Amino acid sequence: MSAPGAAVDADAMRRAIELAARGLFTTDPNPRVGCVILRDGRVVGEGWHRRAGEPHAEVLALQAAGAAARGATAVVTLEPCCHTGRTPPCADALIAAGIARVVCASLDPNPRVAGGGIARLRAAGIEVVVGPGAREARGLNPGFFARFERGRPHVRLKLAASLDARTAYADRRRAWITGEAARADVQAWRARSGAVLTGAGTVRSDDPRLDVRLAYGDPVRQPLRIVLDPNASCAPAARVFAGGDALLFVAPEALATARAAHAGSPGVRVEALPRAAGGLDLGAALARLAALEVNELWVECGPRLAAAWIEDELVDELIVYYAPRLLGADAPPLAALSAGYAAAPTCFEFLDARFFGGDLRVMLTARREESVCSPES
Ligand code: AOF
Ligand code: ZN
């Protein structure tokens, strides 16, 4: 492939990624995918996947290109599918439209596709290039890839704290630590997530709704609301259980009681998880959520559950909002980590720091290899 051709592909892939990002709040559980059709280096059609059940990006881009698709190149952020899911295979649509060349950022990790789309295109005589924009395209769909490649959602743990890393007032009064801009940002993270999870302690002390209250996508897609409540101690009237799709995880021995307590709420599903040190088995929770097609999991919880996620090394991204105030040593900590924790291998790498109103948001990604954590590296 000549250098100018590669530059045209790269530009088109950047555009396809921009298009894919439009589906950030709506495609779940499907991936965000964009597609550009190029004819003699010019864009003749664009498309992006909006919502599961609606056409895939390639089909919309082909529709936009019409007859100009014959002999053209399709640049797409994910391998075109070869299966019939809620919609027919994109590979067949590309072949039928007479596409001559396909550039895709990465393979589709869904086992129903997983290279089969590319094989079908090649068998039809279409040239296929895989790889340009792979990092960015994967970055748009961390949960979709995590679900198929690791059998679990992509986990983001959100914490809000004072400068001295305290997460609530010492007198436990119910008052916000961070300001409105930070809370609006939390709404956007919830809106892109397949599920939002908290613990029984937070439900009892804060009674959060954990829903999306700003318009992201039309209509607003509410994430599944999940509560980890080993002893079934949360009141069935808690706000998190009102208004629909909620999942309550309890320990096996509390299952019957919890099911009886929620018998009158069809929107609340109650399931058991094995117990683990001090709570429920978080790894088992993630496996179950992957089976429920949760791609991105947003965790907002108190210090004990936060510590469990961190100590179990199940956090992929840590998002901390720091408010410019000090709350003192009597206030609860950011995460109630055990005394020996500093020797554990998990550590984080700073990704980004940004102001939201008067608060500072710090984003970190998990680094699990011990060498990365050691001071020499
Ligand atoms: C593509 N282009 O724009 C998307 C793809 O139920 P369906 O028919 O919507 O199929 C969903 C699966 O299709 C999804 O799990 C993923 O493997 C692929 N998504 N593929 O060629 C697209 N959104
Ligand atoms: Zn498709």
Side-chain angles (χ1 to χ4, degrees):
M1 193 193 349
S2 69
V8 171
D9 288 350
D11 280 352
M13 186 59 83
R14 262 191 295 279
R15 176 64 184 152
I17 289 166
E18 254 173 49
L19 292 166
R22 294 187 186 173
L24 194 62
F25 300 110
T26 55
T27 63
D28 207 78
N30 275 359
R32 297 115 190 176
V33 181
C35 178
V36 167
I37 311 282
L38 285 180
R39 179 76 185 258
D40 303 323
R42 284 190 33 249
V43 175
V44 295
E46 294 185 337
W48 54 282
H49 184 53
R50 284 173 180 73
R51 201 168 270 115
E54 294 184 16
H56 286 183
E58 299 91 316
V59 168
L60 294 170
L62 287 172
Q63 269 170 20
R70 193 151 295 279
T73 294
V75 177
V76 53
T77 59
L78 188 71
E79 172 185 6
C81 66
C82 55
H83 71 298
T84 301
R86 302 169 188 92
T87 66
C90 291
D92 293 351
L94 292 163
I95 295 165
I99 287 287
R101 187 167 165 266
V102 170
V103 179
C104 59
S106 77
L107 294 189
D108 184 340
N110 182 345
R112 298 180 72 193
V113 185
I118 288 168
R120 191 177 297 183
L121 294 169
R122 286 192 173 137
I126 296 176
E127 179 195 345
V128 183
V129 178
V130 185
R135 227 173 68 97
E136 294 78 1
R138 277 181 77 96
L140 260 184
N141 293 302
F144 180 76
F145 282 93
R147 174 153 68 89
F148 288 111
E149 292 178 350
R150 298 191 280 146
R152 46 165 277 190
H154 179 83
V155 178
R156 296 190 178 96
L157 173 62
K158 169 260 180 177
L159 299 162
S162 60
L163 282 181
D164 52 347
R166 306 280 150 186
T167 50
Y169 291 85
D171 61 11
R172 307 294 162 116
R173 85 185 85 137
R174 275 181 59 191
W176 296 108
I177 293 175
T178 51
E180 210 157 298
R183 295 199 312 267
D185 187 52
V186 167
Q187 285 281 318
W189 287 108
R190 284 183 185 175
R192 65 174 285 171
S193 301
V196 175
L197 180 147
T198 196
T202 301
V203 170
R204 286 197 308 265
S205 65
D206 298 352
D207 197 16
R209 282 187 278 183
L210 296 183
D211 58 355
V212 175
R213 294 190 289 280
L214 303 175
Y216 290 96
D218 181 27
V220 177
R221 188 188 53 79
Q222 289 294 341
L224 174 66
R225 276 156 287 168
I226 303 170
V227 180
L228 298 185
D229 185 10
N231 304 317
S233 63
C234 293
R239 295 199 293 186
V240 70
F241 301 124
D245 223 9
L247 173 56
L248 175 64
F249 281 126
V250 299
E253 68 276 13
L255 186 61
T257 317
R259 286 211 165 132
H262 290 277
S265 325
V268 181
R269 196 174 345 180
V270 184
E271 295 188 9
L273 283 178
R275 279 194 183 268
L280 297 174
D281 183 332
L282 301 181
L286 291 184
R288 177 68 185 129
L289 296 183
L292 291 172
E293 297 191 309
V294 173
N295 290 337
E296 297 177 20
L297 177 66
W298 178 252
V299 180
E300 295 186 34
C301 62
R304 284 197 21 227
L305 185 53
W309 285 103
I310 294 171
E311 293 194 3
D312 287 357
E313 300 187 7
L314 294 172
V315 178
D316 296 306
E317 271 179 82
L318 197 54
I319 298 179
V320 190
Y321 298 88
Y322 284 105
R325 62 176 84 213
L326 295 158
L327 293 176
D330 295 338
L334 190 67
L337 296 165
S338 58
Y341 177 71
T346 294
C347 66
F348 294 92
E349 181 184 352
F350 286 109
L351 276 185
D352 182 63
R354 236 174 95 178
F355 289 108
F356 283 81
D359 302 318
L360 176 66
R361 184 190 75 186
V362 177
M363 287 178 54
L364 303 98
T365 182
R367 279 274 160 269
R368 301 231 154 76
E369 312 83 60
E370 226 154 332
S371 60
V372 180
C373 301
S374 70
E376 296 78 35
S377 66

